[in-house]
Amino acid sequence: ETGVTQTPRHLVMGMTNKKSLKCEQHLGHNAMYWYKQSAKKPLELMFVYNFKEQTENNSVPSRFSPECPNSSHLFLHLHTLQPEDSALYLCASSQVGGGRNNEQFFGPGTRLTVL
Amino acid sequence: AQRVTQPEKLLSVFKGAPVELKCNYSYSGSPELFWYVQYSRQRLQLLLRHISRESIKGFTADLNKGETSFHLKKPFAQEEDSAMYYCALGSNYQLIWGAGTKLIIKP
């Protein structure tokens, strides 16, 4: 498969569950991102990884835990979420460097519902 | 502070009419600006970037540093242009996003 893939596409979980979202990019990029997209709210950047190192954590609650084992894979571990965490979670990748802010390629997202 | 403002949450125009989606930015350096589009049930994707100075699907956007704007324009709207449009500013290998404008093209 090409581009950026995300699994699962839909997830329903209770507040006491533990689950993980997975993202994989097949583009040879060196940076990966997690975003939260809620209805009627701007796109929120959650985490950034450059060369597998986390470079940004935008005050995200600790119930969200990212993991980047290599430059092609990105996980978002979820535990004890709240109903307000229900949203579309988007993964993106880009090739950074050379002083340019290059295009980000997005996955289809995981639609998360917390009951 | 670095910021992107899209003043219109919703824009509705008739098919064949001109379209202008507004975007203003605040940035101290030399900006790199993008327009992304999200069609219904599709992933967010790049529409165009100011560096390329190209027209994609009939859309153009000109960077106006004096007015700190990067408005998206199309002379004749088509029904398939209905989508969510986001303006974004590149900064430190990240993108700062506007809130988005939902464009509806009426038949």
Side-chain angles (χ1 to χ4, degrees), chain A residues 4 33 37 56 101 104 106, chain B residues 32 34 36 43 86 93:
Chain A
V4 180
Y33 311 80
Q37 187 176 36
E56 193 79 21
N101 296 289
Q104 289 185 15
F106 284 82
Chain B
E32 187 172 0
F34 306 81
Y36 278 76
R43 63 183 69 191
Y86 294 93
Y93 307 124

Side-chain angles (χ1 to χ4, degrees), chain B residues 58-79:
Chain B
F59 284 97
T60 59
D62 292 318
L63 177 61
N64 186 323
K65 292 186 179 180
E67 295 182 359
T68 60
S69 68
F70 188 57
H71 302 329
L72 184 68
K73 300 177 183 179
K74 184 169 182 176
F76 307 104
Q78 298 171 291
E79 289 186 66

